[in-house]
Amino acid sequence: MRLILASASPRRLDLLKQIGVTPDAVDPADIDETPRKDEPPARYAARVAAEKGAAVAERHPGALILSGDTIVAAGRRILPKAETVQDARMCLELLSGRRHRVLSAVTLIAPDGKARHRLSESIVTFKRLHPDEIDAYIASGEWEGKAGGYAIQGRAAGLIRTIQGSHPGIMGLPLYEVRTLLLAVGYPCD
Ligand SMILES: Cc1cn([C@H]2C[C@H](O)[C@@H](COP(=O)(O)OP(=O)(O)OP(=O)(O)O)O2)c(=O)[nH]c1=O
Protein backbone atom coordinates (compact mmCIF):
# COMPACT_ATOMS: atom_id res chain seq x y z
CA MET A 1 0.00 0.00 0.00
CA ARG A 2 1.51 3.35 -1.02
CA LEU A 3 1.43 5.94 1.76
CA ILE A 4 1.49 9.64 0.89
CA LEU A 5 2.13 12.25 3.58
CA ALA A 6 0.10 15.31 2.59
CA SER A 7 2.24 17.84 4.43
CA ALA A 8 5.00 20.37 3.84
CA SER A 9 6.06 20.11 7.49
CA PRO A 10 9.45 18.40 7.99
CA ARG A 11 8.36 17.84 11.61
CA ARG A 12 5.43 15.68 10.51
CA LEU A 13 7.77 13.52 8.42
CA ASP A 14 10.21 13.14 11.33
CA LEU A 15 7.41 12.33 13.77
CA LEU A 16 6.05 9.65 11.46
CA LYS A 17 9.52 8.11 11.19
CA GLN A 18 9.67 8.08 14.99
CA ILE A 19 7.07 5.27 14.93
CA GLY A 20 8.87 3.45 12.15
CA VAL A 21 6.67 4.64 9.30
CA THR A 22 8.27 6.14 6.19
CA PRO A 23 5.87 7.44 3.57
CA ASP A 24 6.47 6.54 -0.08
CA ALA A 25 6.06 10.19 -1.02
CA VAL A 26 5.45 13.61 0.50
CA ASP A 27 2.99 15.78 -1.39
CA PRO A 28 1.84 18.94 0.45
CA ALA A 29 -1.66 20.28 0.00
CA ASP A 30 -2.08 23.90 -0.90
CA ILE A 31 -5.47 24.91 0.43
CA ASP A 32 -7.04 28.02 1.91
CA GLU A 33 -6.65 27.74 5.70
CA THR A 34 -8.79 30.74 6.65
CA PRO A 35 -11.09 29.93 9.57
CA ARG A 36 -14.80 30.43 8.88
CA LYS A 37 -16.68 33.03 10.86
CA ASP A 38 -17.34 31.72 14.41
CA GLU A 39 -15.92 28.31 13.52
CA PRO A 40 -15.12 26.42 16.75
CA PRO A 41 -11.40 25.51 17.03
CA ALA A 42 -11.85 21.72 17.04
CA ARG A 43 -14.16 21.80 14.04
CA TYR A 44 -11.74 24.05 12.20
CA ALA A 45 -8.72 21.78 12.78
CA ALA A 46 -10.71 18.71 11.71
CA ARG A 47 -12.02 20.43 8.59
CA VAL A 48 -8.60 21.66 7.49
CA ALA A 49 -6.95 18.25 8.03
CA ALA A 50 -9.75 16.64 5.98
CA GLU A 51 -9.48 19.23 3.21
CA LYS A 52 -5.69 18.80 2.97
CA GLY A 53 -6.17 15.05 2.59
CA ALA A 54 -8.94 15.35 0.01
CA ALA A 55 -6.92 17.78 -2.11
CA VAL A 56 -3.93 15.44 -2.21
CA ALA A 57 -5.99 12.24 -2.67
CA GLU A 58 -7.14 13.49 -6.08
CA ARG A 59 -3.54 13.30 -7.28
CA HIS A 60 -2.85 9.78 -5.95
CA PRO A 61 -5.64 7.37 -6.80
CA GLY A 62 -5.35 4.07 -4.94
CA ALA A 63 -2.93 5.38 -2.30
CA LEU A 64 -3.28 5.97 1.45
CA ILE A 65 -3.22 9.68 2.26
CA LEU A 66 -2.25 11.04 5.68
CA SER A 67 -2.81 14.70 6.55
CA GLY A 68 -2.94 16.79 9.69
CA ASP A 69 -3.60 20.21 11.09
CA THR A 70 -2.45 21.65 14.39
CA ILE A 71 -3.85 24.76 16.00
CA VAL A 72 -3.57 26.64 19.25
CA ALA A 73 -6.82 27.79 20.81
CA ALA A 74 -7.21 30.25 23.67
CA GLY A 75 -10.81 29.74 24.71
CA ARG A 76 -12.83 29.88 21.48
CA ARG A 77 -10.16 31.95 19.78
CA ILE A 78 -7.92 30.34 17.17
CA LEU A 79 -4.44 31.83 17.30
CA PRO A 80 -2.66 32.51 14.02
CA LYS A 81 0.35 30.73 12.62
CA ALA A 82 2.88 33.41 13.54
CA GLU A 83 4.39 34.99 10.46
CA THR A 84 5.54 38.34 11.90
CA VAL A 85 7.14 39.56 15.13
CA GLN A 86 3.83 41.26 15.92
CA ASP A 87 1.94 37.96 15.55
CA ALA A 88 4.42 36.19 17.83
CA ARG A 89 4.30 38.91 20.50
CA MET A 90 0.50 38.95 20.49
CA CYS A 91 0.39 35.15 20.88
CA LEU A 92 2.96 35.02 23.69
CA GLU A 93 1.32 37.84 25.65
CA LEU A 94 -1.99 36.03 25.34
CA LEU A 95 -0.57 32.65 26.38
CA SER A 96 1.52 34.01 29.29
CA GLY A 97 0.55 32.60 32.68
CA ARG A 98 -2.45 30.65 31.46
CA ARG A 99 -3.66 27.38 30.00
CA HIS A 100 -4.51 26.89 26.36
CA ARG A 101 -5.51 24.01 24.13
CA VAL A 102 -3.56 22.52 21.24
CA LEU A 103 -5.80 20.68 18.81
CA SER A 104 -4.15 18.32 16.41
CA ALA A 105 -6.39 16.71 13.81
CA VAL A 106 -5.41 13.87 11.51
CA THR A 107 -7.17 12.38 8.51
CA LEU A 108 -6.33 9.11 6.78
CA ILE A 109 -7.96 8.46 3.41
CA ALA A 110 -7.97 4.80 2.40
CA PRO A 111 -7.46 3.58 -1.18
CA ASP A 112 -11.26 3.09 -1.47
CA GLY A 113 -11.76 6.80 -0.69
CA LYS A 114 -13.08 6.32 2.85
CA ALA A 115 -11.75 9.02 5.19
CA ARG A 116 -11.05 8.35 8.87
CA HIS A 117 -10.48 11.18 11.36
CA ARG A 118 -8.99 11.57 14.82
CA LEU A 119 -8.55 14.61 17.02
CA SER A 120 -5.96 14.96 19.79
CA GLU A 121 -6.46 17.64 22.40
CA SER A 122 -3.72 18.80 24.72
CA ILE A 123 -3.63 21.41 27.46
CA VAL A 124 -0.46 23.48 27.74
CA THR A 125 0.33 25.88 30.60
CA PHE A 126 2.92 28.60 30.14
CA LYS A 127 4.62 30.30 33.05
CA ARG A 128 3.86 33.96 33.45
CA LEU A 129 6.28 35.42 30.94
CA HIS A 130 8.51 38.33 31.86
CA PRO A 131 8.81 40.92 29.06
CA ASP A 132 12.51 39.99 28.78
CA GLU A 133 11.54 36.35 28.23
CA ILE A 134 9.15 37.36 25.47
CA ASP A 135 11.84 39.52 23.84
CA ALA A 136 14.41 36.72 24.02
CA TYR A 137 11.97 34.20 22.59
CA ILE A 138 11.08 36.51 19.76
CA ALA A 139 14.79 37.06 19.03
CA SER A 140 15.23 33.27 18.72
CA GLY A 141 12.98 33.20 15.65
CA GLU A 142 11.66 29.78 16.69
CA TRP A 143 8.06 31.03 16.51
CA GLU A 144 8.16 31.49 12.75
CA GLY A 145 5.44 29.51 10.96
CA LYS A 146 4.30 27.93 14.23
CA ALA A 147 0.68 27.81 15.29
CA GLY A 148 0.27 30.00 18.38
CA GLY A 149 3.76 31.49 17.99
CA TYR A 150 5.82 28.86 19.80
CA ALA A 151 7.40 25.46 19.27
CA ILE A 152 7.44 23.10 22.24
CA GLN A 153 10.32 21.14 20.65
CA GLY A 154 12.63 24.12 21.13
CA ARG A 155 13.42 26.66 23.84
CA ALA A 156 9.73 27.23 24.62
CA ALA A 157 9.95 23.96 26.54
CA GLY A 158 11.75 25.98 29.23
CA LEU A 159 8.76 28.30 29.53
CA ILE A 160 6.06 25.61 29.71
CA ARG A 161 5.11 24.47 33.20
CA THR A 162 2.93 21.51 32.28
CA ILE A 163 1.37 19.70 29.39
CA GLN A 164 -1.49 17.29 29.49
CA GLY A 165 -2.08 15.28 26.35
CA SER A 166 0.17 14.37 23.44
CA HIS A 167 3.67 15.84 23.04
CA PRO A 168 3.93 14.76 19.37
CA GLY A 169 0.38 16.07 18.90
CA ILE A 170 1.49 19.51 20.09
CA MET A 171 4.44 19.34 17.66
CA GLY A 172 2.11 18.55 14.78
CA LEU A 173 1.27 14.84 14.56
CA PRO A 174 -0.45 12.81 17.31
CA LEU A 175 1.36 9.51 16.86
CA TYR A 176 -0.98 7.33 18.91
CA GLU A 177 -3.94 8.41 16.78
CA VAL A 178 -1.92 8.06 13.57
CA ARG A 179 -0.87 4.51 14.42
CA THR A 180 -4.44 3.59 15.32
CA LEU A 181 -5.67 4.88 11.96
CA LEU A 182 -2.93 3.12 10.01
CA LEU A 183 -3.63 -0.19 11.74
CA ALA A 184 -7.37 0.22 11.02
CA VAL A 185 -6.68 0.13 7.29
CA GLY A 186 -4.19 -2.73 7.54
CA TYR A 187 -1.01 -0.70 7.15
CA PRO A 188 1.87 -2.43 8.95
CA CYS A 189 3.25 -0.34 11.81
CA ASP A 190 5.39 -2.69 13.86
C1 LIG B 1 2.12 24.57 19.03
C2 LIG B 1 3.17 24.08 18.08
C3 LIG B 1 2.99 24.13 16.72
N1 LIG B 1 3.96 23.69 15.86
C4 LIG B 1 3.77 23.71 14.39
C5 LIG B 1 3.23 22.41 13.86
C6 LIG B 1 2.77 22.79 12.49
O1 LIG B 1 3.83 22.65 11.55
C7 LIG B 1 2.41 24.26 12.63
C8 LIG B 1 0.97 24.40 12.41
O2 LIG B 1 0.70 24.43 11.03
P1 LIG B 1 -0.08 23.33 10.21
O3 LIG B 1 -0.99 24.05 9.25
O4 LIG B 1 -0.68 22.30 11.09
O5 LIG B 1 1.07 22.58 9.35
P2 LIG B 1 2.15 23.13 8.33
O6 LIG B 1 1.67 24.38 7.66
O7 LIG B 1 3.47 23.18 9.03
O8 LIG B 1 2.26 21.95 7.25
P3 LIG B 1 1.12 21.34 6.27
O9 LIG B 1 -0.09 22.21 6.33
O10 LIG B 1 1.71 21.26 4.91
O11 LIG B 1 0.87 19.97 6.82
O12 LIG B 1 2.84 24.67 13.93
C9 LIG B 1 5.16 23.19 16.35
O13 LIG B 1 6.03 22.80 15.58
N2 LIG B 1 5.34 23.12 17.70
C10 LIG B 1 4.42 23.54 18.59
O14 LIG B 1 4.65 23.45 19.81
Side-chain angles (χ1 to χ4, degrees), residues 6-77:
S7 174
S9 162
R11 281 173 306 272
R12 292 212 167 99
L13 180 59
D14 286 346
L15 285 164
L16 203 50
K17 288 181 179 164
Q18 187 183 329
I19 55 166
V21 173
T22 304
D24 296 283
V26 175
D27 185 4
D30 185 19
I31 62 154
D32 179 6
E33 294 188 32
T34 316
R36 293 185 180 144
K37 192 174 176 301
D38 296 329
E39 187 169 26
R43 193 175 303 171
Y44 167 76
R47 176 176 67 80
V48 172
E51 287 181 4
K52 286 176 183 174
V56 172
E58 285 180 12
R59 307 199 279 263
H60 302 274
L64 265 179
I65 314 290
L66 179 66
S67 56
D69 194 69
T70 301
I71 62 161
V72 170
R76 286 180 53 87
R77 179 168 176 189

